[in-house]
Amino acid sequence: MRSRFVLTVSLSALLAGLGLTACSSSSTASPPKAGGVAPVSAVPVAGQSAAPASASVAAGITASTGSGSSQTAKCGTRNLRWTLTRLTDAGASEKDPANAELVAVNSGSHSCSLAGYPKLEFHMGKGPEAVGVGKGSPAPVMLGAGKKAVIALHYSELNGKGPDSDNCGPMVTAGSADVAAPGDSTGVRVPVVDQSGKPAEVTICGDEVRMSPPVAR
């Protein structure tokens, strides 16, 4: 009878010890997160910050950070109103008076930048042609709506102004010119007029027309 009691007590103590061990193991385990899924760290996409999105980004509003966004758009050929005027009145103080001037007016509602020399070609039917040539890289000219840029044109004309006017070799006579804005492949035909706005012609000795840098007026 005594031996059965000792066996019972020993078995009870053993079971109690096993229960305490199980409780101790469960108490050291990390409690599961809500939903049973552990959190995942955010990995930034290339070119993006790992910081949380701002309210403006969440709403679909993004700030433009590209360098081109703060630059004024270039003036296109079609956004300009062109005039080509033959000049007959030369200033007495001018050492190299212009024979003609090309004017580009911003006909759009926004400002634009005229960067460089325009493309300029005078054609005499299918025969000789004279092209505009500029020196160096002129500074961009900013044109607000309705503002204009003026390009002075210098060449020798038969029996007129210019160092080769008395010795005119190849000669181009034209009543219009093909013009395109700097960097624009689309051109327009611009008629030549005199200073009163009437149709006129230019007679160019040689195959080049020197263009002065565009000037805003």
Side-chain angles (χ1 to χ4, degrees):
M1 189 72 177
R2 175 184 175 87
S3 59
R4 181 180 298 180
F5 175 77
V6 172
L7 179 61
T8 302
V9 171
S10 300
L11 182 60
S12 299
L14 178 62
L15 291 176
L18 291 175
L20 289 173
T21 303
C23 291
S24 175
S25 298
S26 62
S27 63
T28 57
S30 299
K33 299 292 181 178
V37 180
V40 179
S41 299
V43 179
V45 179
Q48 295 182 0
S49 172
S54 64
S56 60
V57 174
I61 304 172
T62 58
S64 178
T65 58
S67 58
S69 62
S70 60
Q71 297 177 352
T72 304
K74 291 183 179 180
C75 299
T77 303
R78 303 284 184 183
N79 301 114
L80 299 169
R81 185 172 67 253
W82 301 88
T83 306
L84 180 54
T85 305
R86 178 188 174 189
L87 305 177
T88 55
D89 298 330
S93 60
E94 294 185 41
K95 187 175 182 179
D96 184 20
N99 302 79
E101 65 179 19
L102 179 65
V103 177
V105 179
N106 181 5
S107 58
S109 57
H110 301 285
S111 297
C112 65
S113 172
L114 188 71
Y117 291 101
K119 180 180 179 182
L120 175 66
E121 295 180 352
F122 293 91
H123 297 274
M124 187 174 177
K126 295 183 179 180
E129 67 176 25
V131 298
V133 177
K135 185 177 181 180
S137 300
V141 176
M142 307 303 292
L143 297 179
K147 299 300 181 180
K148 65 181 180 181
V150 178
I151 300 98
L153 307 179
H154 302 264
Y155 54 86
S156 294
E157 55 187 12
L158 181 62
N159 299 323
K161 292 179 287 187
D164 299 324
S165 60
D166 295 331
N167 185 22
C168 198
M171 184 174 64
V172 176
T173 299
S176 64
D178 293 332
V179 179
D184 196 338
S185 59
T186 302
V188 292
R189 183 67 56 84
V190 181
V192 179
V193 297
D194 61 20
Q195 290 175 273
S196 63
K198 296 180 180 180
E201 289 184 338
V202 295
T203 301
I204 303 166
C205 296
D207 58 3
E208 287 188 357
V209 175
R210 290 180 291 118
M211 296 188 293
S212 296
V215 177
R217 289 186 186 171

